[in-house]
Amino acid sequence: MRFVNVQKSYDGETLVVKDFNLDVASGEFITLLGPSGSGKTTCLMMMAGFETPTHGQILLNGEPINTVPPHKRGIGMVFQNYALFPHMSVSENLAFPLEVRKLSRTEVAQKVKRALAMVRLEDFGNRRPAQLSGGQQQRVALARALVFDPEIVLMDEPLGALDKNLREEMQYEIKHIHEELGVTMIYVTHDQSEALTMSDRIAVFEDGIVQQLAEPDVLYEKPCNAFVASFIGENNRLVGEVTSLSDGGCIVRMETGEEIDALPVNVASTGVRSTLSLRPERVFIEPDKGSLPNIYEAEVREVIYLGDHLRTRVCVCGNSEFIIKTPNALGHPVLRRGNTINVGWSREDCRALDA
Amino acid sequence: MNSTNLTTADGVPLKTSLRRAQRRHRLKAVLLVTPLFAFLLVAFVLPIMDMLTRSVDNPEVITYMPQTAEALIAWNGDGLPGEAVFAAAAHDLAKGSRERTIGHVASRLNYEKGGMRSLVMKTARKAKKWESGPYRELILAADKRWREPDVWLLIKRQSAPYTLSYFLSALDLRHGSDGSIESKPAHMKIYVDLFMRTLWMSALITALCLLLGYPVAFLLATLPMRQANLLMILVLLPFWTSMLVRTTTWIAILQSQGVLNDLFVWTGLIDDANRIQMIYNKTGTIIAMTHILLPFMILPLYSVMKTIPPSYMRAARSMGATAFTAFRRVYFPQTLTGIGAGSILVFILSIGYYITPALVGGQSGRFITNFIAYHMQQSLNWGLAAAIGSLLLGVVIALYMLYNRLIGIDNMKLG
């Protein structure tokens, strides 16, 4: 499936989707991640055929499908509230897509049985959806989207209504089904950890534009702009002005005067403002002098004990919301509120992004 | 641990303590519903009980001709009764005439057999002057109709304090001369036909309401908030207009010199001589009542449709169903409770409707209710009115139970 310069507007005044380009490989698990209102669900609806693009083309196997009605696209879909038909039993729900395809009765029964086995609900065929728990309903919805062997399955925040434990369990289950069946899955969520767990690639949406499309590790470690950096994972932001810029590095001066050596990612020239992005776990406490290009004095404001790691909030370079994550390992330095310490980080971990 | 042995900290059994704590709440709840309960009792339950009683109550003969009633018990119904009965009748008729109560008996007997009023009144007037017997000759001489055993059989039958004759009348049946139940002669049959007409016209009105209301309810449930609110106001607007105004507006539109006929003539659809009669007949009743009852169909439908998320239809379509299949197999079945609720509401309201059929129904578009009103106000045969009313109530209860059986009354929602 390909999206070429797709735009979508509902009211003729504002574009919900501004310029969407995406090339989904067969068998891939792609997640559209973004805050609510960023246009990700609209894109999904255009794939399914419930919305038509205002501009641009959607191609499926090289054929434009802009005008193909939803029921002829052969795309499975899992909805946010599952959309299981309440007046039908679980088996009838699963049989529905097969019956409208006019499959023979034995074939329907066989496929329904197989789909129920896939989601481990063999004994629940005669129940009504209302008699199932949230997780079971979710699995039925998944089975129903897969039962007619579609090439592509779309999922619109399918785990949003589940509690945390069940959600994590389902994430793995969906992931395993994906690996087993080799079906292409396009998944919409606003939960970044869900996206990181499941996806081959993630498209981060904001303001109708894909901000970055990359593998989970790239997205986390090498965000290409300030939005992605702050949206994926925890992130320390330091804002300053670029004073010098070379190929492998740049110097950004803070308002408080510190000059930080950073990796230029998304800065055009000297003189522009830039946001430095720094992951909390990449900050070192009391590094050896000279081992890192950036070493500054920091004042400890708060220490939070989280079991496996400690979060320390410090004030450094004028930013009092600066977080340092340290593993709760043997021999880690003990910090107290009010202590003054040195913190440092490398150039590669400190990415100079747009302001 | 046995739950009955549970006690609170100070040793009071837990159940007693709980009951005490809840007593205030219960009292408050009871006080809140008392006014409505009292109102319903006085304005609804008691009148219905009264109606049900009246439909079988038969006090006239036994109250105002008590001696005759007593004497007739001994009579076996063969030929004419004996002198004792005639004497009692003469005494009752004379007394009734003096006390001006015999008219009740005369009217009552007249319901069952034409001419009984004049017969009783005439004989009663004469009976005042009779000093002594033999009364048999006197009564038989007063009017030769007294020679018919049927007349005496009728009086004997109507001496019972309760009667089914009103219900028989309401079903176009009567007691034959031998006391068995037979159907009335064809020219006297009114009510069964009228019941049937009321039922099928109501069914038609219900069907029309459903046909017209379903798409509107669907629009209401699916349009964006602003448009939906506007549409809802349009649906409710008729509710805020006097029913008399609405009904008379239909007269203005549908009458032969009315707006619609003028339009037809103007467009050349029909010529001036052949204006269509659309009012003061069944057509008028059906059109006007469909209009008036439409909101009662739309609102329950809407309240059900509102709860069906659009994702059901989308899910069905994504699974390969055409829009029509998705509607038929997914959307429509989920609206069945709304269809049931709306239909039973409209149907029940419809069979009990009075004012609109009375105004625009003419002769052929009248409902059974118009005859209830007629017997209440014109013929003053309240017993018959009550019997027809009770039958109508029976139909409503039967429908209600059927609905409860099929769909469940819990599923009835009205907005």
Side-chain angles (χ1 to χ4, degrees):
Chain A
M1 174 172 273
R2 271 183 72 193
F3 278 69
V4 184
N5 302 112
V6 170
Q7 295 185 324
K8 174 72 186 175
S9 173
Y10 286 109
D11 54 5
E13 286 167 16
T14 49
L15 284 171
V16 183
V17 175
K18 284 179 181 153
D19 184 17
F20 185 45
N21 290 286
L22 182 68
D23 205 336
V24 185
S26 176
E28 201 175 12
F29 196 119
I30 285 215
T31 298
L32 311 184
L33 174 68
S36 49
S38 59
K40 56 190 191 312
T41 298
T42 305
C43 283
L44 201 72
M45 290 301 160
M46 287 193 284
M47 292 181 204
F50 300 124
E51 301 289 351
T52 47
T54 318
H55 174 80
Q57 274 205 321
I58 304 171
L59 305 162
L60 186 63
N61 300 329
E63 301 283 324
I65 54 165
N66 285 25
T67 55
V68 176
H71 66 277
K72 290 193 176 148
R73 294 195 180 191
I75 296 176
M77 186 152 182
V78 180
F79 290 82
Q80 197 165 9
N81 53 9
Y82 317 137
L84 297 176
F85 306 140
H87 58 293
M88 298 182 189
S89 71
V90 168
S91 292
E92 285 166 343
N93 263 284
L94 294 181
F96 184 84
L98 306 171
E99 281 167 5
V100 298
R101 284 183 166 71
K102 309 228 181 330
L103 265 64
S104 75
R105 198 169 289 185
T106 49
E107 231 173 329
V108 170
Q110 194 185 342
K111 289 198 172 204
V112 166
K113 204 173 159 211
R114 207 179 60 201
L116 280 173
M118 179 182 71
V119 293
R120 293 180 282 115
L121 289 172
E122 291 92 335
D123 302 333
F124 292 82
N126 292 323
R127 300 249 191 126
R128 290 284 166 119
Q131 296 167 311
L132 301 180
S133 71
Q136 289 167 338
Q137 290 184 26
Q138 172 56 55
R139 300 220 289 271
V140 175
L142 188 65
R144 194 178 62 173
L146 290 163
V147 72
F148 59 100
D149 304 318
E151 284 175 55
I152 302 178
V153 176
L154 309 178
M155 303 195 202
D156 186 9
E157 307 213 13
L159 307 180
L162 304 180
D163 62 53
K164 192 168 167 292
N165 287 336
L166 204 53
R167 195 155 62 210
E168 282 168 7
E169 200 185 307
M170 283 305 298
Q171 286 171 12
Y172 292 117
E173 194 159 337
I174 292 173
K175 182 96 185 117
H176 293 151
I177 288 173
H178 170 245
E179 282 162 5
E180 228 166 273
L181 300 181
V183 58
T184 309
M185 286 191 173
I186 300 175
Y187 192 99
V188 162
T189 183
H190 61 260
D191 182 334
Q192 44 131 332
S193 75
E194 203 167 287
L196 293 174
T197 310
M198 305 170 76
S199 319
D200 294 329
R201 284 194 298 160
I202 300 171
V204 180
F205 265 74
E206 165 64 1
D207 204 17
I209 289 174
V210 175
Q211 305 283 342
Q212 188 169 3
L213 171 63
E215 290 77 29
D217 54 337
V218 175
L219 213 54
Y220 184 78
E221 285 166 28
K222 293 172 180 159
C224 70
N225 63 33
F227 175 79
V228 177
S230 64
F231 195 73
I232 309 281
E234 214 175 352
N235 177 50
N236 289 311
R237 292 154 57 92
L238 296 166
V239 182
E241 192 185 314
V242 180
T243 54
S244 84
L245 177 63
S246 69
D247 226 10
C250 66
I251 303 294
V252 179
R253 192 172 64 222
M254 302 287 107
E255 269 157 25
T256 45
E258 292 89 349
E259 294 199 321
I260 297 176
D261 194 351
L263 183 76
V265 177
N266 199 357
V267 288
S269 60
T270 55
V272 298
R273 290 180 67 74
S274 169
T275 302
L276 300 177
S277 153
L278 191 57
R279 295 294 179 196
E281 68 274 15
R282 296 293 172 96
V283 180
F284 297 93
I285 293 170
E286 300 293 357
D288 299 333
K289 275 209 168 60
S291 64
L292 292 168
N294 301 300
I295 297 180
Y296 301 101
E297 204 166 77
E299 189 198 327
V300 177
R301 292 285 170 88
E302 199 174 7
V303 182
I304 298 162
Y305 180 80
L306 283 164
D308 62 334
H309 72 274
L310 295 162
R311 282 163 61 85
T312 311
R313 186 163 67 83
V314 302
C315 179
V316 65
C317 303
N319 181 354
S320 60
E321 299 295 325
F322 197 95
I323 302 290
I324 304 167
K325 249 188 205 172
T326 42
N328 191 1
L330 210 58
H332 70 88
V334 178
L335 302 177
R336 296 264 176 274
R337 194 152 84 171
N339 286 1
T340 302
I341 55 170
N342 279 317
V343 295
W345 55 86
S346 73
R347 176 197 291 165
E348 287 69 32
D349 288 334
C350 182
R351 298 167 67 83
L353 307 169
D354 54 316
Chain B
M1 187 194 277
N2 191 338
S3 64
T4 51
N5 294 338
L6 284 178
T7 56
T8 57
D10 48 0
V12 184
L14 192 58
K15 284 192 173 171
T16 316
S17 184
L18 182 69
R19 219 174 11 250
R20 242 178 246 162
Q22 285 179 339
R23 196 175 299 149
R24 264 179 75 90
H25 278 289
R26 210 170 299 149
L27 192 70
K28 223 185 274 177
V30 168
L31 279 177
L32 279 173
V33 297
T34 305
L36 179 65
F37 185 72
F39 176 77
L40 280 181
L41 190 73
V42 173
F44 193 69
V45 179
L46 292 181
I48 285 183
M49 306 268 282
D50 186 52
M51 178 188 78
L52 291 173
T53 322
R54 263 176 205 278
S55 65
V56 291
D57 203 14
N58 195 30
E60 290 87 355
V61 176
I62 200 164
T63 310
Y64 300 118
M65 292 183 72
Q67 294 188 14
T68 318
E70 177 90 38
L72 277 169
I73 294 171
W75 177 50
N76 64 4
D78 217 10
L80 282 178
E83 172 66 14
V85 173
F86 281 96
H91 173 263
D92 283 339
L93 285 170
K95 184 161 180 280
S97 184
R98 271 195 299 276
E99 292 173 1
R100 300 184 180 282
T101 54
I102 200 68
H104 297 291
V105 179
S107 304
R108 176 68 190 92
L109 295 176
N110 203 55
Y111 293 150
E112 305 299 325
K113 190 174 164 71
M116 283 303 287
R117 166 182 289 279
S118 63
L119 175 62
V120 171
M121 293 308 281
K122 183 174 132 193
T123 316
R125 267 195 308 278
K126 288 186 179 166
K128 269 196 291 189
K129 295 173 200 131
W130 295 336
E131 307 271 299
S132 62
Y135 292 106
R136 182 184 160 101
E137 275 65 40
L138 283 168
I139 289 180
L140 291 181
D143 195 304
K144 62 175 187 297
R145 278 177 285 179
W146 291 112
R147 291 170 206 268
E148 299 168 21
D150 281 5
V151 170
W152 294 100
L153 275 168
L154 174 64
I155 297 174
K156 180 179 163 76
R157 207 162 47 233
Q158 296 307 334
S159 305
Y162 295 103
T163 178
L164 279 178
S165 58
Y166 291 124
F167 276 105
L168 292 177
S169 269
L171 292 168
D172 289 341
L173 300 170
R174 67 176 184 190
H175 288 287
S177 46
D178 58 350
S180 68
I181 293 166
E182 61 180 33
S183 77
K184 281 187 189 173
H187 70 276
M188 287 170 73
K189 284 187 179 176
I190 320 171
Y191 302 112
V192 171
D193 278 355
L194 212 55
F195 263 116
M196 289 332 251
R197 184 204 289 168
T198 305
L199 291 178
W200 77 252
M201 280 176 72
S202 298
L204 184 61
I205 289 163
T206 309
L208 284 173
C209 279
L210 183 62
L211 215 62
L212 294 172
Y214 199 92
V216 177
F218 179 77
L219 263 186
L220 264 176
T222 47
L223 277 181
M225 190 67 126
R226 276 177 56 140
Q227 283 103 306
N229 280 344
L230 184 69
L231 192 60
M232 183 57 112
I233 288 171
L234 291 178
V235 168
L236 292 177
L237 205 58
F239 265 151
W240 304 335
T241 325
S242 151
M243 193 164 66
L244 219 52
V245 173
R246 278 182 280 159
T247 307
T248 41
T249 308
W250 277 114
I251 298 178
I253 294 171
L254 296 177
Q255 64 189 346
S256 48
Q257 299 300 319
V259 182
L260 204 58
N261 265 313
D262 282 351
L263 194 72
F264 287 162
V265 171
W266 183 69
T267 54
L269 222 59
I270 53 173
D271 67 58
D272 201 29
N274 295 323
R275 285 171 179 261
I276 307 168
Q277 183 65 35
M278 288 181 288
I279 198 119
Y280 307 123
N281 57 15
K282 290 186 184 103
T283 321
T285 305
I286 289 168
I287 293 176
M289 280 184 58
T290 302
H291 171 234
I292 286 163
L293 294 175
L294 200 52
F296 294 101
M297 179 64 86
I298 292 176
L299 292 180
L301 277 175
Y302 165 66
S303 77
V304 168
M305 288 178 177
K306 206 174 47 178
T307 63
I308 303 174
S311 60
Y312 286 146
M313 283 288 269
R314 289 184 159 180
R317 307 241 17 223
S318 79
M319 285 183 265
T322 59
F324 178 72
T325 309
F327 172 79
R328 187 176 58 85
R329 292 208 41 198
V330 175
Y331 197 83
F332 183 75
Q334 293 187 65
T335 58
L336 281 177
T337 53
I339 292 175
S343 298
I344 194 149
L345 193 63
V346 169
F347 191 80
I348 286 175
L349 282 173
S350 177
I351 56 174
Y353 232 65
Y354 164 66
I355 183 94
T356 303
L359 286 174
V360 303
Q363 272 295 329
S364 69
R366 267 198 235 170
F367 275 21
I368 193 77
T369 44
N370 300 112
F371 274 79
I372 298 181
Y374 168 77
H375 286 303
M376 293 288 291
Q377 295 160 352
Q378 319 266 309
S379 81
L380 300 182
N381 187 350
W382 284 24
L384 184 54
I388 301 174
S390 302
L391 285 174
L392 210 51
L393 184 67
V395 171
V396 169
I397 290 172
L399 280 172
Y400 178 90
M401 284 166 72
L402 185 75
Y403 177 86
N404 195 20
R405 187 78 178 276
L406 292 180
I407 302 179
I409 212 72
D410 303 340
N411 289 321
M412 190 184 253
K413 291 184 222 129
L414 300 177

